[in-house]
């Protein structure tokens, strides 16, 4: 995910479908403007609703989407790939497949996904592609046996820093901005340029390097980086690195989400994901996902 710092190295060493470069730091010197502080950015991160709203608003438009899902073996070699290029229409019928192909270990014999990761991304994106915009929740509530976990995933993606209720042993570990948790993190913010032209701030929250390994292991969110448009202080991008292990499960996930403007409206442009999961009664999952959405327009 070479997205927020030129030369960034992946946390999970494997094939990386995301090779786009969208942000470049202006310098390595912290901003010293008196009106800005870590508290300014923390308040913006924890109160923002525009990031999730952008995913709701995309359903107003026609656009082209490319979805790539890769699965891996124990040696991080690709053993499955699903690629879809979709034309999303502004009205029903909502989608037209321009290309669709899969190879290797993607689907079971009954047609269901081999991996829960792929199912989750379909729940978030394919469901959104195939429904109309409403003033309520764009992605709705999941109705299957995994409903609770799918809705919790949305909280992790769209509201990092808030508690995720109902996840054993980790529900409060996402609250990295509480008074108790702040002692474990460093906060930095820089001036940068996004998409070659948009002036932005990059606010980075990262685990302090001098903590004991035992303390580091107990912190689920290793890094949370947020990109703010300087002109209106809305969030244009988010990168989160999460890693945790206990007696029930372990996971190592990095996710990046970036927006673009269509006129004055902010809309999703790129979502990339790398993740390893290991939970009881399920085989370990290793996957990466790249979602690109472009060519937004109002008509069919």
């Amino acid at each position: 995910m070479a997205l927020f710092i030129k030369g960034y190295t992946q946390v999970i060493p494997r094939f990386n479908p995301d090779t786009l470069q969208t942000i470049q730091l202006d310098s390595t010197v912290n901003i010293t403007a008196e009106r800005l502080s870590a508290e300014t950015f923390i308040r913006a991160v924890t109160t923002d609703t525009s990031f999730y709203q952008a995913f709701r608003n995309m359903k107003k438009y026609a656009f082209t989407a490319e979805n790539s899902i890769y699965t891996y073996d124990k040696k991080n070699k690709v053993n499955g790939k699903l690629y879809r290029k979709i034309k999303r229409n502004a009205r029903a019928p909502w989608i037209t497949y321009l290309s669709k192909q899969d190879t290797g270990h993607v689907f079971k014999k009954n047609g269901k996904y081999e991996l829960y990761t792929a199912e989750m991304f379909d729940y978030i994106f394919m469901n959104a592609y195939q429904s109309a915009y409403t003033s309520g929740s764009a992605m709705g509530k999941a109705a299957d046996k995994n409903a609770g976990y799918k809705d919790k995933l949305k909280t992790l993606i769209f509201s990092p820093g808030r508690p995720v209720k109902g996840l054993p042993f980790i529900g409060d570990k996402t609250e990295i901005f509480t008074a108790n948790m702040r002692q474990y993190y460093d906060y930095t913010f820089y001036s940068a340029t996004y998409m070659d032209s948009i002036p932005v701030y990059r606010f980075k929250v990262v685990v302090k390097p001098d903590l004991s390994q035992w303390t580091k292991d107990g912190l689920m969110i290793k890094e949370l980086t947020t990109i703010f448009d300087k002109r209106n202080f809305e969030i244009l991008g988010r990168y989160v690195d999460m890693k945790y292990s206990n007696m029930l499960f372990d996971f190592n996930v990095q996710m990046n989400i970036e927006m673009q403007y269509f006129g004055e409206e902010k809309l999703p442009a790129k979502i990339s994901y790398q993740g390893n999961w290991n939970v009881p009664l399920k085989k370990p999952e290793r996957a990466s996902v790249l979602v690109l959405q472009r060519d937004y327009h109002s008509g069919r």
Side-chain angles (χ1 to χ4, degrees):
M1 301 176 189
L3 307 174
F4 288 133
I5 307 177
K6 192 172 183 179
Y8 174 79
T9 302
Q10 292 181 130
V11 178
I12 302 175
R14 61 164 63 128
F15 171 72
N16 183 12
D18 184 357
T19 58
L20 303 181
Q21 178 74 33
T22 52
I23 188 165
Q24 179 65 50
L25 293 183
D26 294 341
S27 71
T28 57
V29 180
N30 279 14
I31 300 166
T32 57
E34 291 184 5
R35 68 182 183 86
L36 291 175
S37 67
E39 292 298 328
T40 307
F41 292 101
I42 290 171
R43 283 195 299 271
V45 170
T46 55
T47 61
D48 175 77
T49 58
S50 68
F51 204 67
Y52 181 47
Q53 183 65 36
F55 278 84
R56 297 175 58 195
N57 290 343
M58 77 181 188
K59 299 173 70 174
K60 300 176 183 178
Y61 301 100
F63 56 86
T64 300
E66 290 185 84
N67 296 180
S68 300
I69 299 176
Y70 298 83
T71 63
Y72 304 86
D73 61 21
K74 294 180 179 179
K75 296 182 178 180
N76 281 323
K77 301 297 183 182
V78 175
N79 63 5
K81 178 182 177 181
L82 171 65
Y83 172 78
R84 293 178 297 215
K85 187 173 184 180
I86 296 167
K87 179 183 177 184
R88 150 78 187 192
N89 301 311
R91 53 188 179 272
W94 297 112
I95 66 171
T96 303
Y97 283 100
L98 304 178
S99 179
K100 185 178 182 182
Q101 52 189 300
D102 66 274
T103 57
H105 301 281
V106 177
F107 295 101
K108 299 177 181 178
K109 292 182 179 180
N110 61 7
K112 295 184 177 180
Y113 284 112
E114 286 269 3
L115 299 187
Y116 185 56
T117 302
E119 180 186 336
M120 295 290 275
F121 272 85
D122 256 17
Y123 159 68
I124 292 176
F125 293 101
M126 290 302 293
N127 282 354
Y129 294 162
Q130 300 183 78
S131 57
Y133 172 80
T134 64
S135 58
S137 173
M139 304 195 189
K141 292 286 186 179
D144 60 19
K145 64 181 181 180
N146 295 316
Y149 286 98
K150 289 178 178 178
D151 289 324
K152 292 174 179 61
L153 176 67
K154 287 198 297 184
T155 301
L156 284 174
I157 294 174
F158 299 112
S159 305
R162 298 180 184 176
V164 183
K165 298 179 180 179
L167 288 181
F169 304 107
I170 69 169
D172 60 350
K173 292 185 179 296
T174 58
E175 295 184 275
I176 62 175
F177 298 120
T178 63
N180 180 57
M181 292 291 282
R182 291 190 192 191
Q183 63 182 308
Y184 303 121
Y185 290 91
D186 284 331
Y187 304 90
T188 55
F189 45 98
Y190 303 91
S191 180
T193 303
Y194 177 73
M195 302 285 285
D196 297 326
S197 61
I198 302 174
V200 296
Y201 296 119
R202 188 196 73 161
F203 176 55
K204 184 176 181 179
V205 182
V206 64
V207 171
K208 290 182 176 180
D210 57 351
L211 298 176
S212 69
Q213 191 60 50
W214 182 86
T215 301
K216 289 180 181 178
D217 289 344
L219 300 171
M220 190 185 89
I221 295 182
K222 309 303 182 184
E223 177 184 336
L224 175 62
T225 295
T226 308
I227 305 301
F228 292 90
D229 189 330
K230 285 185 179 181
R231 301 167 300 182
N232 55 24
F233 221 63
E234 286 198 357
I235 295 176
L236 285 178
R238 170 172 292 146
Y239 168 78
V240 60
D241 179 1
M242 299 182 290
K243 185 176 182 180
Y244 191 67
S245 178
N246 61 25
M247 66 182 70
L248 293 180
F249 54 81
D250 65 81
F251 60 86
N252 182 357
V253 168
Q254 296 85 46
M255 187 180 307
N256 185 76
I257 305 174
E258 299 183 32
M259 302 290 176
Q260 69 177 31
Y261 285 111
F262 170 63
E264 298 297 316
E265 190 137 76
K266 182 174 65 177
L267 299 167
K270 176 170 61 177
I271 299 91
S272 59
Y273 164 97
Q274 291 273 8
N276 292 349
W277 291 83
N278 192 358
V279 298
L281 305 179
K282 293 181 179 291
K283 68 178 183 179
E285 295 199 2
R286 301 172 181 86
S288 63
V289 179
L290 176 62
V291 177
L292 299 174
Q293 296 179 180
R294 58 172 69 92
D295 302 328
Y296 285 95
H297 57 282
S298 300
R300 185 182 281 262

